[in-house]
Amino acid sequence: MSDPLAQIVSLLKPVPSIAKLVTAGGTWWVERRELGSPFYCAIVEGRCLLTIAGRTPIILESGDFVLVPQIHEFTMSSFEPPPPGTSSQRLETGPGVFRLGDPDAPSEVTAMVGHCSFRANDKQLLSSLLPDIVHARGERRLMDLVGMIHAEMVGGLAARDMILSRLLEVLFIDALRSTGGAETSPGLLRGLSDMRLAPALRRIHQDPSGGVSVEELAETSAMSRSAFFDRFRRQVGVPPMEYVTGWRMAIAKDLLIRREAPLVEIATRIGYASASAFNVAFTRHVGVTPGVFARTD
């Protein structure tokens, strides 16, 4: 598999933690503080506000989908939120079903909300390559996928965990490929949407064992070395060789965790001439030797 986006999501290994059907009426708000927890929401009916710390509030409407790969603090609320200091009204009316606001007020908003986590050891590096937020409108597939995840979470059927993992991977990929371009925060998607940088990124992902330099990657992109270096750092967020090293180490960590290959084979797969050279590079990058990492993970 050499598709960069599919590789990133596959290595992140998203797993579900919470899936809820939420209705709300009257004036209401709900706050979430979850360090680094990925969050997604599909609005089935109505309109509300999503406010992420440090960002302009986003209006969410029927048919909207939002994904935040790493979130530290956010609130969802009615357009006229309750007065400051008002406690959040939240009532569980059934398994995975919650009511926000005045329970006697007409229901004005219905949303499917979910939280998940990443099992990847290198989740900070991998998720840093994704946009800060994805906001899609009118993407029926995303709405259907969220509905399938919710149904699977509450259904308790056989092979539930496997199906949920696959559905989450598809949800992430579908959501991420619905965005891109200059408006996206620096990262892999912004780089892949750049016609000059995309060939170099695909080359890095297609053959992590190949010896590459900034000059070779610049040639792949038909650019001068300096222009390529500056453009890559601006669009992807890190210098080219830092990206190459980070990607190689993410692969190495996954292989070490799965214990499917000896050290010398792992070294060869990610472009090091010997196990000792890989050992030195891994220790410098991660802070422990590959052997210690594999034993302590």
Side-chain angles (χ1 to χ4, degrees):
M1 179 173 58
S2 59
D3 181 272
L5 180 56
Q7 287 177 321
I8 293 292
V9 174
S10 178
L11 284 182
L12 278 169
K13 299 179 177 67
V15 292
S17 53
I18 299 172
K20 299 180 288 190
L21 179 66
V22 176
T23 62
T27 58
W28 58 274
W29 72 280
V30 63
E31 182 180 41
R32 180 85 181 194
R33 297 173 183 267
E34 188 81 21
L35 296 180
S37 171
F39 162 82
Y40 60 88
C41 174
I43 304 298
V44 179
E45 291 180 330
R47 305 167 74 232
C48 65
L49 287 179
L50 172 68
T51 305
I52 298 172
R55 288 181 169 270
T56 303
I58 299 172
I59 298 174
L60 298 180
E61 301 178 330
S62 178
D64 279 15
F65 171 88
V66 65
L67 167 69
V68 186
Q70 288 193 93
I71 194 163
H72 296 274
E73 180 181 345
F74 74 90
T75 61
M76 290 183 70
S77 69
S78 53
F79 276 84
E80 294 184 14
T86 304
S87 298
S88 175
Q89 289 182 281
R90 179 173 175 269
L91 177 66
E92 185 169 8
T93 59
V97 181
F98 291 83
R99 168 71 184 196
L100 303 176
D102 184 354
D104 296 322
S107 179
E108 297 170 341
V109 179
T110 302
M112 292 180 289
V113 175
H115 296 263
C116 62
S117 60
F118 296 135
R119 286 192 287 116
N121 185 279
D122 222 351
K123 57 189 174 185
Q124 287 187 329
L125 165 69
L126 295 169
S127 58
S128 71
L129 300 176
L130 305 180
D132 294 337
I133 185 170
V134 173
H135 181 200
R137 287 200 153 135
E139 297 286 345
R140 187 65 229 179
R141 268 173 58 91
L142 292 173
M143 302 292 288
D144 291 342
L145 282 165
V146 175
M148 292 169 68
I149 290 170
H150 179 80
E152 196 66 36
M153 283 285 283
V154 301
L157 300 176
R160 170 182 177 272
D161 291 345
M162 177 184 289
I163 291 173
L164 282 170
S165 294
R166 298 298 181 269
L167 285 173
L168 272 174
E169 287 184 354
V170 175
L171 178 70
F172 268 76
I173 291 171
D174 229 31
L176 292 167
R177 68 185 184 181
S178 73
T179 189
E183 73 281 0
T184 308
S185 53
L188 177 65
L189 283 181
R190 186 160 161 180
L192 287 173
S193 69
D194 187 316
M195 293 181 63
R196 303 296 292 274
L197 296 182
L201 283 164
R202 291 195 176 94
R203 177 176 175 178
I204 293 168
H205 283 258
Q206 184 174 9
D207 185 17
S209 66
V212 294
S213 63
V214 176
E215 289 79 8
E216 290 170 323
L217 293 172
E219 184 178 343
T220 300
S221 295
M223 299 175 69
S224 69
R225 183 191 187 282
S226 59
F228 171 78
F229 184 94
D230 291 342
R231 188 164 179 155
F232 192 102
R233 183 170 57 181
R234 184 174 64 254
Q235 298 288 69
V236 182
V238 294
M241 296 314 295
E242 184 177 329
Y243 183 93
V244 171
T245 300
W247 176 238
R248 286 173 170 170
M249 292 305 163
I251 295 173
K253 286 181 177 181
D254 185 60
L255 292 171
L256 287 166
I257 291 167
R258 291 193 279 124
R259 296 174 172 84
E260 292 183 359
L263 204 61
V264 65
E265 184 179 334
I266 293 175
T268 302
R269 283 199 201 181
I270 63 170
Y272 290 90
S274 66
S276 60
F278 166 62
N279 197 313
V280 170
F282 187 93
T283 304
R284 182 169 56 242
H285 186 83
V286 180
V288 297
T289 66
V292 170
F293 176 85
R295 290 192 300 270
T296 57
D297 183 77

